[in-house]
Amino acid sequence: MKKRVVVTGLGVISPAGCNKSDLWKNVLSGTSCITKSNIEHPEHEKFPSKVAGIVSEKEMTNLIKKYGMAESYLKTMTRSTRMAILATEEAINDAKLENISEQLKEQTGVAVGSGLPDFSDILESGRMLEKSYNRLSPYFIPKILQNMASGQISMRYGFQGPNHCASTACATGAHAIGDSFKIIQNGMATIMVSGGTDACLNPLTVAGFCRLRALSTNFNDTPEKASRPFDEKRDGFVIAEGAAVLILEELEHALSRNATIYAEILGYGLSGDASNLTTPHQDGKGAVLAMQQAIKDAEGVTKNDITYVNAHATSTPIGDQIELSAIGSLLQGNGKIIVSSMKGCHGHLLGAAGCIETLSTVLACYHAVIPPTANLEQCCSNNPSLKCITEKQEWKDVSRRIALKNAFGFGGTNASLCISNF
């Protein structure tokens, strides 16, 4: 028998808040937390995009002090790893797993990934090497490895279960959660710390996305309006940094210790577009396949049970339209399917996007309230079966609240999670 898997802890570091309560408040209100980019670089004025989702440095500093992270400890990790550990601290505390037995530590694993390495550390290390070999930090290589967030988390807490790292561009966070779900479902662990992190606000990353013409450029003077999924005026995504971590736990174990259960993970689907380096297939088949697989994997669930889709929708002209078409084609006949995207609030967190938005989907299932899409004024779709909401909506007119969460990445990698209230 496959084991049932539930969510018992949540933690987040994001432009929309550095705890789950602040994030949920901002997401529900439809508030945009996008600001002017703070990149300091001689070429920055030449970059076409000047907006970003930035994590509060003051909040980060306060949390580092709160959790007793010494300077010598911080030197062994990049910014993205620091954010992942801070998000993990909140999630562990939320799940009441601070003091667990050595036996349970052996059954607790970590799967936290990132979409990109921290280029700021790579560039700085290159400059140090140009000056002198001896100025290159001995921590350089271990710091930039993309599995090091998982490694540092496991070492900090003594978790000796599966130690894993997904790195699938912007689908990373969703893949990490899905992989963790399967690890527990198949009896390889009892608890998994799962999620994603990305610290991408450096000149090289921003310039690279600008050269791809992927970022928003039309709202540099009004940054709060720049990230606008599904809207007719959308012109590219807003790059953002952050981390999110979910504690996944085998159901019987969670019940035995009277844990808070936020939601249940029901299914996990993966697919490939096999089409283009950076854009999804025009017919949306890859997205459809991932959603179909997630529903199929969710025992006893049919497509008619889905009433909400938390979309990947990044605010790009091509991607948003294709995803809406894919959702409409798969779920037609369901009545009104509610669709929203969190990226209007906090921007696109790249490798952390799939997990921070899964976190919001989990809270939607738990609180029976669906968050809106910020900055959505005129929807690009006129499909009558889709309801792209601009204000929060109660989710109480169904016997069970079942949602899909989509995440797609460069290279045509797709993931979809099926999630419900418990």
Side-chain angles (χ1 to χ4, degrees), residues 8-27:
T8 58
L10 304 168
V12 65
I13 296 292
S14 81
C18 288
N19 59 72
K20 72 177 193 297
S21 298
D22 286 350
L23 172 72
W24 184 236
K25 179 182 68 176
N26 285 320
V27 163

Side-chain angles (χ1 to χ4, degrees), residues 131-265:
K131 294 178 180 179
S132 167
Y133 161 77
N134 289 322
R135 296 190 65 173
L136 181 66
S137 168
Y139 296 113
F140 169 60
I141 293 298
K143 278 175 69 175
I144 65 166
L145 294 176
Q146 283 176 271
N147 71 312
M148 203 45 69
S150 283
Q152 289 274 19
I153 291 166
S154 69
M155 288 183 280
R156 184 172 176 84
Y157 302 97
F159 298 149
Q160 297 165 59
N163 192 295
H164 177 51
C165 169
S167 183
T168 48
C170 304
T172 294
H175 277 136
I177 293 166
D179 292 349
S180 296
F181 163 63
K182 288 298 174 186
I183 286 169
I184 296 173
Q185 192 179 61
N186 290 306
M188 298 167 66
T190 300
I191 297 169
M192 287 295 293
V193 178
S194 59
T197 184
D198 249 318
C200 47
L201 300 185
N202 59 77
L204 187 57
T205 304
V206 174
F209 279 118
C210 282
R211 291 290 290 160
L212 271 176
R213 298 184 180 179
L215 301 184
S216 173
T217 59
N218 291 341
F219 299 90
N220 288 334
D221 294 328
T222 52
E224 70 281 359
K225 297 180 180 180
S227 187
R228 43 197 318 114
F230 308 131
D231 189 72
E232 288 284 4
K233 294 180 182 177
R234 69 194 187 282
D235 73 319
F237 75 82
V238 173
I239 194 167
E241 62 178 353
V245 167
L246 284 72
I247 305 299
L248 271 54
E249 188 168 351
E250 191 270 322
L251 173 61
E252 294 304 320
H253 187 270
L255 291 174
S256 72
R257 64 183 194 88
N258 199 29
T260 298
I261 297 177
Y262 290 103
E264 182 172 2
I265 308 295

Side-chain angles (χ1 to χ4, degrees), residues 16-74:
C18 288
N19 59 72
K20 72 177 193 297
S21 298
D22 286 350
L23 172 72
W24 184 236
K25 179 182 68 176
N26 285 320
V27 163
L28 269 191
S29 68
T31 300
S32 171
C33 299
I34 304 305
T35 59
K36 284 277 191 181
S37 174
N38 64 351
I39 292 172
E40 296 180 6
H41 190 269
E43 293 287 308
H44 187 212
E45 282 305 310
K46 298 178 183 177
F47 296 172
S49 180
K50 297 178 176 63
V51 295
I54 304 167
V55 169
S56 165
E57 206 62 48
K58 181 179 179 181
E59 289 193 64
M60 282 269 290
T61 300
N62 288 341
L63 288 171
I64 286 169
K65 290 178 181 177
K66 176 182 176 180
Y67 297 128
M69 296 168 65
E71 186 61 34
S72 57
Y73 177 55
L74 296 174

Side-chain angles (χ1 to χ4, degrees), residues 381-400:
S381 172
N382 56 7
N383 187 331
S385 68
L386 301 180
K387 184 179 181 181
C388 296
I389 58 173
T390 58
E391 294 183 354
K392 67 181 181 182
Q393 180 168 319
E394 289 194 354
W395 194 9
K396 296 180 178 178
D397 56 348
V398 290
S399 58
R400 192 177 186 190

Side-chain angles (χ1 to χ4, degrees), residues 361-389:
T361 307
V362 163
L363 288 174
C365 290
Y366 184 67
H367 292 293
V369 183
I370 298 175
T373 302
N375 290 320
L376 177 55
E377 296 172 354
Q378 185 175 349
C379 187
C380 62
S381 172
N382 56 7
N383 187 331
S385 68
L386 301 180
K387 184 179 181 181
C388 296
I389 58 173

Side-chain angles (χ1 to χ4, degrees), residues 168-169 271-280 408-414:
T168 48
S271 73
D273 277 321
S275 175
N276 185 277
L277 277 176
T278 59
T279 57
F408 313 130
F410 281 2
T413 180
N414 307 309

